[in-house]
Amino acid sequence: MTANLRNLNALDFSYLIRQSHTFENLDTLHLVTNGEPLSFMGMASTLFAQKHTGIVLELDGKPLVVARAVQWQDEDFAQLQFINAMEPAESNNVAVLEALLKDIGAWGLTRVMGDISTDSIYLSDFRKANFIVWASHRSYSLSAPVLGAPESSAWRTWTAKDYANIKTLYQSLVPSRIRQYEPMTRSKVLGKVISDASGNLSGYVDLDYGSKGLWAQLFLLPEASCPEDLEDLAGELYMEYGRPITFSARSYMPWLRLALDKLDAQTSGERALIVRHLAIKDAKPEQAGDPIFEKSPAEGGIFSAESQN
């Protein structure tokens, strides 16, 4: 018998539901904010995806490997969602990934991104499919019973006046070689900033949220990575959003983990941040700049004057 590749379709839904507990999740941010991909909230969130595709490797009508990717609204890259194989060590997982990449190539995007456990059996398959690891991260989740509103907080909501200082801080913390993968902000909701005793900006947190939880990605100088301030931030965010908080600590800021390890948080294992570049025919050269900050106040934006209210 010869295995064949095909696109995922509605008839595969029952199989996916049965096997969902074995899926290798490749998108921690959306897992935190909206839940498992095939949960009710997870499926509802895909209504906001611009495009999606899935590939099935099957033998005699029986699925052997399944993988799926989406392009979320307002994103300029494709996001891996999950991969699952009945026998991961024996399956041709690379063929499935290459077929998935071929589909995504038709979307006109230049890269595919995801994150995966560094202990995953699938990581070698992604390497064989020419994905690279550009950093890693660890998440720290705090649930409602742990959190409480701080009496006072050094954090405040950012405004348009903070843009220049946030940009300077971002450039000092994020290595230049990975800035194309790590945005200064996802521009979903207003984030928070913190300053030192002299009034100089020493950190900020970029936020994204869904029906299940809040994702908080930290950008802090070593001297600003104080467990007490992080605990205050978690409590303040919970009071504002009413959702469990998950902090993301990137590997290129190791001091964050030293502070977060002191919180009463549920910690994930190490996850590799991966990317695969795609060649686009007749692609227009990319323009430098930060379009989200170049909008006029009338157009709005995450740092616009209207957003400060």
Side-chain angles (χ1 to χ4, degrees):
M1 295 287 182
T2 303
N4 67 286
L5 293 163
R6 62 171 175 81
N7 283 103
L8 194 66
N9 59 52
L11 298 177
D12 297 308
F13 185 73
S14 60
Y15 165 80
L16 294 176
I17 291 294
R18 291 195 306 271
Q19 296 297 321
S20 60
H21 65 286
T22 65
F23 284 2
E24 180 80 25
N25 175 64
L26 304 171
D27 185 358
T28 301
L29 188 154
H30 283 90
L31 180 70
V32 165
T33 56
N34 290 295
E36 297 285 349
L38 293 181
S39 67
F40 176 78
M41 291 185 291
M43 289 189 291
S45 70
T46 59
L47 296 174
F48 298 97
Q50 295 186 57
K51 300 181 181 72
H52 59 82
T53 186
I55 297 295
V56 179
L57 176 66
E58 65 179 5
L59 178 63
D60 198 23
K62 180 181 179 181
L64 302 178
V65 187
V66 181
R68 191 170 190 265
V70 301
Q71 181 188 5
W72 296 108
Q73 195 72 30
D74 299 323
E75 299 288 9
D76 61 354
F77 60 90
Q79 174 67 51
L80 297 165
Q81 268 199 306
F82 61 79
I83 187 170
N84 178 68
M86 298 298 290
E87 298 181 13
E90 306 298 329
S91 305
N92 191 352
N93 304 322
V94 177
V96 173
L97 293 175
E98 291 291 359
L100 191 69
L101 292 167
K102 184 177 180 181
D103 272 6
I104 294 170
W107 298 353
L109 303 176
T110 60
R111 65 191 189 278
V112 184
M113 303 184 70
D115 64 286
I116 185 171
S117 170
T118 54
D119 296 327
S120 173
I121 193 172
Y122 297 103
L123 182 55
S124 62
D125 296 313
F126 282 97
R127 291 184 184 277
K128 291 174 184 176
N130 294 320
F131 280 81
I132 62 171
V133 176
W134 57 270
S136 65
H137 80 110
R138 192 176 298 165
S139 60
Y140 296 77
S141 299
L142 294 96
S143 58
V146 178
L147 303 174
E151 293 183 3
S152 61
S153 173
W155 297 88
R156 62 175 175 81
T157 302
W158 67 34
T159 71
K161 295 179 181 179
D162 296 308
Y163 168 66
N165 290 331
I166 287 177
K167 185 174 182 179
T168 298
L169 184 64
Y170 165 80
Q171 291 175 337
S172 69
L173 291 172
V174 182
S176 58
R177 63 182 177 81
I178 64 173
R179 289 176 197 159
Q180 60 181 313
Y181 314 130
E182 189 80 283
M184 185 170 73
T185 171
R186 290 182 173 80
S187 305
K188 304 300 182 182
V189 294
L190 295 174
K192 301 282 185 179
V193 293
I194 190 170
S195 301
D196 60 22
S198 300
N200 299 313
L201 195 75
S202 55
Y204 73 97
V205 57
D206 190 36
L207 304 174
D208 196 354
Y209 77 101
S211 53
K212 185 181 179 183
L214 180 78
W215 177 265
Q217 187 168 329
L218 297 164
F219 296 84
L220 296 173
L221 293 172
E223 56 269 27
S225 301
C226 170
E228 291 76 19
D229 285 339
L230 292 174
E231 196 168 55
D232 286 348
L233 173 62
E236 185 175 329
L237 291 174
Y238 181 76
M239 293 303 295
E240 286 187 30
Y241 290 91
R243 293 166 173 80
I245 314 300
T246 296
F247 289 120
S248 174
R250 298 320 212 206
S251 56
Y252 54 82
M253 289 183 277
W255 51 87
L256 289 177
R257 301 178 182 198
L258 297 176
L260 289 166
D261 282 339
K262 297 178 182 178
L263 302 186
D264 186 13
Q266 181 180 351
T267 308
S268 75
E270 197 73 17
R271 295 185 65 82
L273 296 163
I274 59 176
V275 63
R276 162 71 189 264
H277 291 272
L278 302 176
I280 304 297
K281 290 184 178 180
D282 301 320
K284 295 180 180 180
E286 293 186 7
Q287 300 295 317
D290 299 290
I292 189 67
F293 301 107
E294 294 166 3
K295 295 179 180 179
S296 68
E299 291 177 290
I302 203 66
F303 273 85
S304 72
E306 284 76 14
S307 297
Q308 296 174 36
N309 297 326

